[in-house]
Coordinates of all heavy atoms in Angstrom, one line a residue:
P72 N 0.8 -1.2 0.0 CA 0.0 0.0 0.0 C 0.9 1.3 0.0 O 2.0 1.3 0.6 CB -0.8 -0.1 1.3 CG -0.5 -1.4 1.9 CD 0.6 -2.0 1.1
D73 N 0.4 2.3 -0.6 CA 1.1 3.6 -0.7 C 0.6 4.5 0.4 O -0.6 5.0 0.4 CB 0.8 4.2 -2.0 CG 1.4 5.5 -2.2 OD1 2.2 6.0 -1.3 OD2 1.2 6.1 -3.3
P74 N 1.4 4.8 1.4 CA 1.0 5.6 2.6 C 0.5 7.0 2.2 O -0.3 7.6 2.9 CB 2.3 5.7 3.4 CG 3.1 4.5 3.1 CD 2.8 4.2 1.6
S75 N 0.9 7.5 1.0 CA 0.5 8.8 0.6 C -1.0 8.8 0.3 O -1.6 9.9 0.2 CB 1.3 9.3 -0.6 OG 1.0 8.6 -1.8
T76 N -1.6 7.7 0.1 CA -3.0 7.6 -0.2 C -3.9 7.4 1.0 O -5.1 7.4 0.9 CB -3.3 6.5 -1.2 OG1 -3.0 5.2 -0.6 CG2 -2.5 6.6 -2.5
W77 N -3.3 7.2 2.2 CA -4.0 7.0 3.4 C -4.7 8.3 3.9 O -4.1 9.3 3.9 CB -3.2 6.4 4.5 CG -2.6 5.1 4.3 CD1 -3.0 4.2 3.4 CD2 -1.4 4.5 4.9 NE1 -2.2 3.1 3.4 CE2 -1.2 3.2 4.4 CE3 -0.6 5.0 5.9 CZ2 -0.2 2.4 4.8 CZ3 0.5 4.2 6.3 CH2 0.6 2.9 5.8
K78 N -6.0 8.2 4.3 CA -6.6 9.3 4.8 C -7.8 8.9 5.7 O -8.3 7.8 5.6 CB -7.2 10.3 3.7 CG -8.2 9.6 2.9 CD -8.7 10.6 1.8 CE -9.7 9.9 0.9 NZ -10.2 10.8 -0.1
C79 N -8.2 9.7 6.7 CA -9.3 9.5 7.5 C -10.6 9.4 6.7 O -10.9 10.3 5.9 CB -9.4 10.6 8.6 SG -10.9 10.4 9.6
E80 N -11.3 8.3 6.8 CA -12.5 8.1 6.0 C -13.6 9.0 6.4 O -14.6 9.2 5.7 CB -12.9 6.6 6.1 CG -11.9 5.6 5.5 CD -12.3 4.2 5.6 OE1 -13.5 3.9 5.4 OE2 -11.5 3.4 5.9
A81 N -13.5 9.6 7.6 CA -14.5 10.6 8.0 C -14.2 12.0 7.7 O -15.1 12.8 7.2 CB -14.7 10.4 9.6
S82 N -12.9 12.4 7.9 CA -12.6 13.8 7.7 C -11.7 14.1 6.6 O -11.6 15.3 6.1 CB -11.9 14.3 9.0 OG -10.6 13.8 9.1
G83 N -11.0 13.1 6.1 CA -10.0 13.3 5.0 C -8.6 13.7 5.5 O -7.7 13.9 4.7
D84 N -8.4 13.8 6.8 CA -7.1 14.1 7.4 C -6.1 13.1 6.9 O -6.5 11.9 6.7 CB -7.2 14.1 8.9 CG -7.8 15.3 9.5 OD1 -8.2 16.2 8.7 OD2 -8.0 15.4 10.7
T85 N -4.9 13.5 6.8 CA -3.8 12.6 6.3 C -2.7 12.3 7.3 O -1.8 11.6 7.0 CB -3.2 13.1 5.0 OG1 -2.7 14.4 5.3 CG2 -4.2 13.2 3.9
E86 N -2.9 12.8 8.5 CA -1.9 12.6 9.6 C -2.6 12.0 10.8 O -3.8 12.1 11.0 CB -1.2 13.9 10.0 CG -0.4 14.4 8.8 CD 0.4 15.7 9.2 OE1 0.6 15.9 10.5 OE2 0.8 16.4 8.3
N87 N -1.8 11.3 11.7 CA -2.3 10.7 12.9 C -3.4 9.7 12.6 O -4.5 9.9 13.1 CB -2.7 11.8 13.9 CG -3.0 11.3 15.3 OD1 -2.6 10.2 15.6 ND2 -3.7 12.1 16.1
L88 N -3.2 8.8 11.7 CA -4.2 7.8 11.3 C -4.1 6.5 12.0 O -3.0 6.0 12.3 CB -4.1 7.6 9.8 CG -4.3 8.9 8.9 CD1 -4.0 8.6 7.5 CD2 -5.7 9.5 9.1
W89 N -5.3 5.9 12.3 CA -5.4 4.7 13.0 C -6.3 3.7 12.2 O -7.3 4.1 11.7 CB -6.1 4.9 14.4 CG -5.2 5.7 15.3 CD1 -4.9 7.0 15.2 CD2 -4.4 5.2 16.3 NE1 -4.0 7.4 16.2 CE2 -3.7 6.3 16.9 CE3 -4.1 3.9 16.8 CZ2 -2.8 6.1 17.9 CZ3 -3.3 3.8 17.9 CH2 -2.6 4.9 18.4
L90 N -5.8 2.5 12.0 CA -6.4 1.4 11.3 C -7.2 0.5 12.3 O -6.6 0.0 13.2 CB -5.4 0.6 10.5 CG -5.9 -0.7 9.8 CD1 -6.8 -0.3 8.7 CD2 -4.7 -1.5 9.4
N91 N -8.5 0.4 12.0 CA -9.3 -0.6 12.8 C -8.9 -2.0 12.4 O -9.0 -2.3 11.2 CB -10.8 -0.3 12.7 CG -11.6 -1.1 13.6 OD1 -11.7 -2.3 13.5 ND2 -12.3 -0.5 14.5
L92 N -8.5 -2.8 13.3 CA -8.0 -4.1 13.0 C -9.2 -5.1 12.7 O -8.9 -6.2 12.2 CB -7.1 -4.7 14.1 CG -5.8 -3.9 14.3 CD1 -5.1 -4.4 15.5 CD2 -5.0 -4.0 13.1
S93 N -10.4 -4.8 13.0 CA -11.5 -5.7 12.7 C -12.1 -5.4 11.3 O -12.5 -6.3 10.6 CB -12.6 -5.5 13.8 OG -12.1 -6.0 15.0
D94 N -12.3 -4.1 11.0 CA -13.0 -3.9 9.7 C -12.3 -3.0 8.7 O -12.8 -2.7 7.7 CB -14.4 -3.2 10.1 CG -14.3 -1.9 10.7 OD1 -13.2 -1.3 10.8 OD2 -15.4 -1.3 11.1
G95 N -11.0 -2.6 9.0 CA -10.2 -1.9 8.1 C -10.5 -0.4 7.9 O -9.9 0.2 7.1
F96 N -11.4 0.1 8.8 CA -11.6 1.6 8.7 C -10.4 2.3 9.1 O -9.7 2.0 10.1 CB -12.8 1.9 9.7 CG -13.2 3.3 9.7 CD1 -14.2 3.8 8.8 CD2 -12.6 4.2 10.6 CE1 -14.6 5.1 8.8 CE2 -13.0 5.5 10.6 CZ -14.0 6.0 9.7
I97 N -10.1 3.4 8.4 CA -9.0 4.3 8.7 C -9.6 5.6 9.2 O -10.4 6.2 8.6 CB -8.1 4.6 7.5 CG1 -7.4 3.3 7.0 CG2 -7.1 5.6 7.9 CD1 -6.6 3.4 5.8
G98 N -9.2 5.9 10.5 CA -9.8 7.1 11.1 C -8.7 7.9 11.8 O -7.6 7.4 12.1
G99 N -9.0 9.2 12.0 CA -8.0 10.1 12.7 C -7.9 9.8 14.1 O -8.8 9.2 14.8
G100 N -6.8 10.2 14.7 CA -6.6 10.0 16.1 C -7.5 10.9 17.0 O -8.2 11.7 16.5
R101 N -7.4 10.7 18.3 CA -8.3 11.4 19.2 C -8.0 12.9 19.3 O -6.8 13.3 19.1 CB -8.1 10.9 20.6 CG -8.7 9.5 20.8 CD -8.5 9.1 22.3 NE -9.2 7.8 22.5 CZ -9.5 7.4 23.7 NH1 -9.3 8.1 24.8 NH2 -10.1 6.2 23.8
K102 N -9.1 13.7 19.5 CA -8.9 15.1 19.7 C -8.5 15.2 21.2 O -8.9 14.5 22.1 CB -10.2 15.8 19.5 CG -10.6 16.1 18.1 CD -11.9 16.9 18.0 CE -12.2 17.1 16.6 NZ -13.5 17.7 16.4
N103 N -7.7 16.2 21.4 CA -7.3 16.5 22.8 C -8.3 17.5 23.4 O -9.1 18.1 22.7 CB -5.9 17.2 22.8 CG -4.8 16.2 22.3 OD1 -4.9 15.0 22.6 ND2 -3.9 16.7 21.6
W104 N -8.2 17.6 24.7 CA -9.2 18.5 25.5 C -9.2 19.9 24.9 O -10.2 20.6 24.9 CB -8.8 18.5 27.0 CG -7.5 19.1 27.2 CD1 -6.3 18.4 27.3 CD2 -7.1 20.4 27.5 NE1 -5.2 19.2 27.5 CE2 -5.7 20.5 27.6 CE3 -7.8 21.6 27.5 CZ2 -5.0 21.7 27.9 CZ3 -7.1 22.8 27.7 CH2 -5.8 22.8 27.9
D105 N -8.0 20.4 24.3 CA -7.9 21.7 23.8 C -8.3 21.8 22.3 O -8.0 22.8 21.7 CB -6.6 22.3 24.1 CG -5.4 21.6 23.4 OD1 -5.7 20.6 22.7 OD2 -4.3 22.0 23.5
R106 N -8.8 20.7 21.8 CA -9.3 20.6 20.4 C -8.1 20.4 19.4 O -8.3 20.3 18.2 CB -10.1 21.8 19.9 CG -11.2 22.2 20.8 CD -12.3 21.1 21.0 NE -13.2 21.1 19.8 CZ -14.0 20.1 19.6 NH1 -14.0 19.0 20.4 NH2 -14.8 20.1 18.6
S107 N -6.9 20.3 20.0 CA -5.7 19.9 19.1 C -5.7 18.4 18.9 O -6.6 17.7 19.4 CB -4.4 20.4 19.8 OG -4.2 19.6 20.9
G108 N -4.8 17.9 18.1 CA -4.7 16.5 17.9 C -5.4 16.1 16.6 O -5.5 16.9 15.7
G109 N -6.0 14.9 16.6 CA -6.6 14.4 15.4 C -8.1 14.7 15.2 O -8.6 15.6 15.9
S110 N -8.7 14.1 14.3 CA -10.1 14.4 13.9 C -11.1 13.6 14.7 O -12.3 13.8 14.6 CB -10.3 14.1 12.4 OG -10.2 12.7 12.2
N111 N -10.6 12.6 15.5 CA -11.4 11.7 16.3 C -12.2 10.7 15.5 O -13.0 10.0 16.0 CB -12.4 12.5 17.2 CG -12.5 12.0 18.6 OD1 -11.5 11.8 19.2 ND2 -13.7 11.8 19.1
G112 N -11.8 10.5 14.2 CA -12.5 9.6 13.3 C -12.5 8.2 13.8 O -13.5 7.5 13.6
A113 N -11.4 7.7 14.3 CA -11.3 6.3 14.7 C -12.2 6.0 15.9 O -12.9 5.0 15.9 CB -9.8 5.9 15.0
L114 N -12.2 6.9 16.9 CA -13.0 6.7 18.1 C -14.5 6.9 17.7 O -15.3 6.1 18.1 CB -12.6 7.7 19.2 CG -13.5 7.7 20.4 CD1 -13.5 6.3 21.1 CD2 -13.0 8.7 21.4
D115 N -14.8 7.9 16.9 CA -16.2 8.1 16.4 C -16.7 6.8 15.7 O -17.9 6.4 15.9 CB -16.3 9.3 15.5 CG -16.1 10.6 16.3 OD1 -16.1 10.6 17.5 OD2 -15.9 11.6 15.6
H116 N -15.8 6.2 14.9 CA -16.2 5.0 14.2 C -16.5 3.9 15.2 O -17.5 3.2 15.0 CB -15.1 4.6 13.2 CG -15.4 3.3 12.5 ND1 -16.4 3.1 11.5 CD2 -14.8 2.1 12.7 CE1 -16.4 1.9 11.1 NE2 -15.5 1.2 11.8
F117 N -15.7 3.7 16.2 CA -15.9 2.7 17.2 C -17.3 2.9 17.8 O -18.0 2.0 18.0 CB -14.8 2.8 18.2 CG -15.1 2.0 19.5 CD1 -15.2 0.6 19.5 CD2 -15.3 2.6 20.7 CE1 -15.4 -0.1 20.6 CE2 -15.5 1.9 21.9 CZ -15.6 0.5 21.8
L118 N -17.6 4.1 18.2 CA -18.9 4.4 18.8 C -20.1 4.2 17.9 O -21.1 3.6 18.2 CB -18.9 5.9 19.4 CG -17.9 6.2 20.5 CD1 -17.8 7.6 20.8 CD2 -18.1 5.3 21.7
A119 N -19.9 4.6 16.6 CA -20.9 4.4 15.6 C -21.2 3.0 15.3 O -22.3 2.7 14.8 CB -20.6 5.2 14.3
T120 N -20.3 2.1 15.5 CA -20.5 0.7 15.2 C -21.0 -0.1 16.4 O -20.9 -1.3 16.4 CB -19.2 0.0 14.7 OG1 -18.2 0.2 15.6 CG2 -18.8 0.6 13.3
G121 N -21.5 0.6 17.4 CA -22.0 0.0 18.6 C -20.9 -0.6 19.5 O -21.2 -1.5 20.2
E122 N -19.7 0.0 19.4 CA -18.6 -0.4 20.2 C -18.2 -1.8 20.0 O -17.9 -2.5 21.0 CB -18.9 0.0 21.7 CG -19.1 1.4 21.9 CD -19.4 1.8 23.4 OE1 -19.2 0.9 24.3 OE2 -19.7 3.0 23.6
R123 N -18.3 -2.3 18.8 CA -18.1 -3.7 18.5 C -16.6 -4.0 18.1 O -16.2 -5.1 18.2 CB -19.0 -4.2 17.4 CG -20.4 -4.2 17.8 CD -21.4 -4.6 16.7 NE -21.0 -5.9 16.0 CZ -21.3 -6.2 14.8 NH1 -22.1 -5.4 14.1 NH2 -20.9 -7.3 14.3
Y124 N -15.9 -3.0 17.6 CA -14.6 -3.2 17.0 C -13.6 -2.3 17.7 O -13.3 -1.2 17.2 CB -14.6 -3.0 15.5 CG -15.7 -3.8 14.8 CD1 -16.7 -3.1 14.1 CD2 -15.7 -5.2 14.8 CE1 -17.7 -3.8 13.4 CE2 -16.7 -5.9 14.2 CZ -17.6 -5.2 13.5 OH -18.6 -5.9 12.8
P125 N -13.0 -2.7 18.9 CA -12.2 -1.7 19.7 C -10.8 -1.6 19.3 O -10.1 -0.7 19.7 CB -12.4 -2.3 21.1 CG -12.5 -3.8 20.9 CD -13.3 -3.9 19.6
L126 N -10.2 -2.6 18.6 CA -8.7 -2.6 18.4 C -8.3 -1.8 17.2 O -8.8 -2.0 16.1 CB -8.2 -4.0 18.3 CG -8.3 -4.8 19.5 CD1 -7.9 -6.3 19.3 CD2 -7.6 -4.2 20.7
V127 N -7.3 -0.8 17.4 CA -6.8 0.0 16.4 C -5.3 0.0 16.5 O -4.7 -0.2 17.6 CB -7.3 1.4 16.4 CG1 -8.8 1.4 16.1 CG2 -7.1 2.1 17.7
V128 N -4.6 0.3 15.4 CA -3.2 0.4 15.3 C -2.8 1.7 14.5 O -3.5 2.0 13.5 CB -2.4 -0.8 14.8 CG1 -2.8 -1.1 13.3 CG2 -0.9 -0.7 14.9
K129 N -1.9 2.4 15.0 CA -1.5 3.7 14.4 C -0.7 3.3 13.1 O 0.3 2.6 13.1 CB -0.7 4.6 15.3 CG -0.4 5.9 14.7 CD 0.2 6.9 15.7 CE 0.3 8.3 15.1 NZ 0.8 9.2 16.0
L130 N -1.2 3.8 12.0 CA -0.5 3.6 10.7 C 0.9 4.3 10.7 O 1.1 5.4 11.3 CB -1.3 4.2 9.5 CG -2.6 3.4 9.3 CD1 -3.4 4.0 8.2 CD2 -2.3 2.0 8.8
G131 N 1.8 3.6 10.2 CA 3.2 4.0 10.2 C 4.0 3.5 11.3 O 5.2 3.6 11.4
T132 N 3.4 2.8 12.3 CA 4.1 2.2 13.4 C 4.2 0.7 13.2 O 4.9 0.0 14.1 CB 3.5 2.5 14.8 OG1 2.2 1.8 14.9 CG2 3.3 4.0 15.0
I133 N 3.7 0.1 12.2 CA 3.7 -1.3 12.0 C 5.0 -1.7 11.2 O 5.2 -1.2 10.1 CB 2.5 -1.8 11.2 CG1 1.2 -1.4 11.9 CG2 2.6 -3.3 10.9 CD1 0.0 -1.6 11.0
T134 N 5.9 -2.4 11.8 CA 7.1 -2.8 11.2 C 7.4 -4.3 11.5 O 6.6 -5.0 12.1 CB 8.3 -2.0 11.8 OG1 8.5 -2.4 13.2 CG2 8.1 -0.5 11.7
A135 N 8.5 -4.8 11.1 CA 8.9 -6.2 11.3 C 9.0 -6.4 12.8 O 8.8 -7.5 13.3 CB 10.2 -6.6 10.6
D136 N 9.4 -5.4 13.6 CA 9.5 -5.4 15.0 C 8.1 -5.2 15.6 O 7.7 -4.1 15.8 CB 10.4 -4.4 15.6 CG 10.5 -4.4 17.1 OD1 9.9 -5.3 17.7 OD2 11.2 -3.5 17.6
V137 N 7.3 -6.3 15.9 CA 6.0 -6.2 16.3 C 5.8 -5.3 17.6 O 4.8 -4.6 17.8 CB 5.4 -7.6 16.6 CG1 4.0 -7.5 17.1 CG2 5.4 -8.4 15.3
S138 N 6.8 -5.3 18.4 CA 6.7 -4.5 19.7 C 6.7 -3.0 19.4 O 6.4 -2.2 20.3 CB 7.9 -4.9 20.6 OG 9.1 -4.5 20.1
S139 N 7.0 -2.6 18.2 CA 7.1 -1.1 17.9 C 5.7 -0.6 17.5 O 5.5 0.6 17.4 CB 8.1 -0.8 16.8 OG 7.6 -1.3 15.6
A140 N 4.7 -1.5 17.2 CA 3.4 -1.0 16.8 C 2.7 -0.3 17.9 O 2.7 -0.8 19.0 CB 2.6 -2.2 16.2
D141 N 2.0 0.8 17.6 CA 1.3 1.5 18.6 C -0.2 1.1 18.5 O -0.9 1.5 17.6 CB 1.4 3.0 18.2 CG 0.9 3.9 19.3 OD1 0.4 3.4 20.3 OD2 1.0 5.2 19.1
C142 N -0.6 0.1 19.4 CA -1.9 -0.4 19.4 C -2.7 0.1 20.5 O -2.2 0.4 21.6 CB -1.9 -2.0 19.5 SG -1.1 -2.7 18.0
Y143 N -4.0 0.2 20.3 CA -4.9 0.7 21.4 C -6.3 0.0 21.3 O -6.7 -0.4 20.3 CB -5.1 2.2 21.1 CG -5.7 3.0 22.2 CD1 -4.9 3.6 23.2 CD2 -7.1 3.1 22.4 CE1 -5.5 4.2 24.3 CE2 -7.6 3.8 23.5 CZ -6.8 4.4 24.4 OH -7.4 5.0 25.5
S144 N -6.9 -0.1 22.5 CA -8.2 -0.7 22.6 C -9.1 0.3 23.2 O -8.9 0.9 24.2 CB -8.2 -1.9 23.4 OG -9.5 -2.4 23.6
Y145 N -10.2 0.6 22.5 CA -11.3 1.5 23.0 C -12.3 0.8 23.9 O -13.1 1.5 24.5 CB -12.1 2.1 21.8 CG -11.3 3.0 20.9 CD1 -11.3 2.8 19.6 CD2 -10.6 4.1 21.4 CE1 -10.5 3.6 18.7 CE2 -9.8 4.9 20.6 CZ -9.8 4.7 19.2 OH -9.1 5.5 18.4
A146 N -12.2 -0.5 24.1 CA -13.1 -1.3 24.9 C -13.1 -0.7 26.3 O -12.0 -0.4 26.9 CB -12.7 -2.8 24.9
K147 N -14.3 -0.6 26.9 CA -14.4 0.0 28.2 C -13.6 -0.7 29.3 O -13.1 -0.1 30.2 CB -15.9 0.1 28.6 CG -16.6 1.1 27.9 CD -18.1 1.1 28.3 CE -18.8 2.3 27.8 NZ -19.5 2.5 26.8
D148 N -13.4 -2.0 29.1 CA -12.7 -2.8 30.2 C -11.2 -2.7 29.9 O -10.4 -3.2 30.7 CB -13.1 -4.2 30.2 CG -12.9 -5.0 28.9 OD1 -12.8 -4.4 27.9 OD2 -12.9 -6.2 29.0
E149 N -10.7 -2.1 28.8 CA -9.3 -1.9 28.5 C -9.0 -0.4 28.4 O -8.2 0.1 29.2 CB -8.9 -2.6 27.3 CG -9.0 -4.1 27.4 CD -8.7 -4.8 26.1 OE1 -9.2 -4.4 25.0 OE2 -8.0 -5.8 26.2
D150 N -9.6 0.3 27.5 CA -9.4 1.7 27.2 C -8.0 2.2 27.4 O -7.7 3.0 28.3 CB -10.4 2.5 28.0 CG -10.5 4.0 27.5 OD1 -10.2 4.2 26.3 OD2 -10.9 4.9 28.3
G151 N -7.1 1.6 26.6 CA -5.7 2.0 26.8 C -4.8 1.3 25.8 O -5.3 0.5 25.0
P152 N -3.5 1.5 25.9 CA -2.5 0.8 25.0 C -2.6 -0.7 25.2 O -2.9 -1.2 26.2 CB -1.2 1.4 25.5 CG -1.5 2.6 26.2 CD -2.8 2.4 26.8
V153 N -2.4 -1.4 24.1 CA -2.4 -2.8 24.1 C -1.0 -3.3 23.8 O -0.3 -2.9 22.8 CB -3.3 -3.4 23.0 CG1 -3.3 -4.9 22.9 CG2 -4.7 -2.9 23.3
R154 N -0.4 -4.2 24.6 CA 0.9 -4.7 24.3 C 0.8 -6.0 23.4 O -0.1 -6.8 23.6 CB 1.6 -5.1 25.6 CG 1.8 -3.9 26.5 CD 2.5 -4.2 27.7 NE 3.9 -4.6 27.4 CZ 4.8 -5.0 28.3 NH1 4.4 -5.2 29.5 NH2 6.0 -5.3 27.9
I155 N 1.6 -6.1 22.5 CA 1.6 -7.2 21.5 C 2.6 -8.2 22.0 O 3.7 -7.9 22.3 CB 1.9 -6.7 20.1 CG1 0.8 -5.8 19.7 CG2 2.0 -7.9 19.2 CD1 1.0 -5.2 18.3

């Protein structure tokens, strides 16, 4: 895949992108309290799907070294980084 074609499916943003590992949706990272940060596309997608697909990985962090991938779970019982 060509990273230059990756974009948030909700906002069109091209930075701070997260891939949903269940359904392939690409969404923007979380907005910060001060409205900086991402478009919130990945979290909004998780909520819109009935909180069914919680696992996401930040695009650009997936390498041959699995421990370098930035993975996150939105599930209420986890809601945090996931170690691989």
